[in-house]
Amino acid sequence: MVEYSSDEERFSAFVNFFKDNKNTLLISFFLLASILVSSIGYKSYITSQNLKAAEIYDAWFVNLSAESKSALEDKENFNKLQEEYPSTGYAQLARMIRGSSLAKEGDLDAALIDFRELLDVSSGFFGNDILNSIAKINIARIELSKENYSNVLEVLESFNSESEHPLVYEVKGDALAGLKKNDLALNQYSLALENSQNESLRSLLKMKINQINN
């Protein structure tokens, strides 16, 4: 370790260090400043996007719940949300609500389109894990009702096997049973039974297990 006998030597050493490393220090400073400015700008942009999306979502939801709702206004607000603010939670929530409504009405093809769109926009590093999981489960249930069993297993494949909801195990079991892979189906039903506290679901699972065993 270098020792200095006076303040003048220390100051001189500092000046020499700056001269020797001036370019590196300046580049580092401007790089850090750029990152800071970009971060602040991005946060400001996200906040602005969310505020604008919230206004449109509120108008869409109020119209959706109104007794004398306007189909044209509903469509305009929904499309504006999806086209201008697709990455916001408001746009994705609207997509989920509409997909669920279409499924209840029996329009499974249209519902499937909405849930696949939701799956795409909610995926990735900046995605929404909760809405992404909801999209996967709903896609799987619709595909199951259409007897597209391989599609069911494909969409549910990415779920973490150590943290799956009983519903995921059950739907996987239904798809495997549809493919006549009874041993694998029984395994999934058993996992669903082990992880479920709902007595109605447990009874249903036991019935499905008995049907395969008999």
Side-chain angles (χ1 to χ4, degrees):
M1 181 176 177
V2 179
E3 294 184 1
Y4 302 104
S5 59
S6 66
D7 292 339
E8 287 79 6
E9 288 185 358
R10 293 189 184 90
F11 180 74
S12 178
F14 174 78
V15 171
N16 290 333
F17 174 80
F18 181 80
K19 286 181 179 179
D20 294 339
N21 299 278
K22 180 174 62 176
N23 290 337
T24 302
L25 291 172
L26 288 174
I27 291 172
S28 299
F29 172 77
F30 285 117
L31 181 60
L32 289 172
S34 298
I35 293 173
L36 180 60
V37 170
S38 298
S39 177
I40 293 173
Y42 178 74
K43 288 180 180 179
S44 177
Y45 170 77
I46 293 298
T47 299
S48 175
Q49 289 287 97
N50 282 326
L51 287 173
K52 292 175 182 177
E55 292 180 5
I56 300 171
Y57 174 84
D58 288 342
W60 173 78
F61 191 78
V62 167
N63 180 68
L64 189 70
S65 306
E67 293 183 4
S68 57
K69 63 181 180 180
S70 167
L72 179 60
E73 185 179 350
D74 174 86
K75 184 177 180 180
E76 287 179 348
N77 285 327
F78 184 85
N79 288 343
K80 189 173 183 179
L81 261 181
Q82 305 307 323
E83 292 167 6
E84 298 183 17
Y85 311 101
S87 61
T88 65
Y90 295 101
Q92 294 172 23
L93 185 59
R95 178 77 72 178
M96 184 199 74
I97 292 172
R98 194 179 77 164
S100 298
S101 178
L102 289 168
K104 288 179 182 177
E105 293 169 1
D107 193 348
L108 298 183
D109 290 333
L112 190 58
I113 291 173
D114 266 345
F115 285 122
R116 288 203 176 279
E117 288 286 346
L118 177 60
L119 181 63
D120 288 340
V121 297
S122 62
S123 298
F125 184 77
F126 294 104
N128 186 307
D129 290 340
I130 295 176
L131 291 178
N132 192 260
S133 296
I134 290 173
K136 289 177 183 177
I137 292 172
N138 279 282
I139 290 170
R141 295 178 74 173
I142 293 172
E143 294 285 18
L144 185 64
S145 70
K146 296 163 73 71
E147 299 185 357
N148 296 327
Y149 303 122
S150 295
N151 291 350
V152 175
L153 297 175
E154 181 180 351
V155 75
L156 296 180
E157 184 179 6
S158 62
F159 271 106
N160 186 337
S161 61
E162 296 181 357
S163 60
E164 288 182 6
H165 190 279
L167 178 60
V168 177
Y169 290 123
E170 182 192 6
V171 175
K172 279 185 176 180
D174 291 343
L176 290 164
L179 292 170
K180 307 302 180 185
K181 297 180 179 181
N182 292 342
D183 289 341
L184 294 175
L186 285 172
N187 180 58
Q188 293 299 309
Y189 288 147
S190 296
L191 288 170
L193 195 60
E194 291 173 11
N195 288 274
S196 176
Q197 303 297 322
N198 185 295
E199 288 304 320
S200 296
L201 177 58
R202 290 177 63 83
S203 297
L204 179 60
L205 289 166
K206 289 175 182 177
M207 288 176 57
K208 291 181 178 182
I209 290 172
N210 288 335
Q211 286 176 352
I212 292 178
N213 287 330
N214 296 333

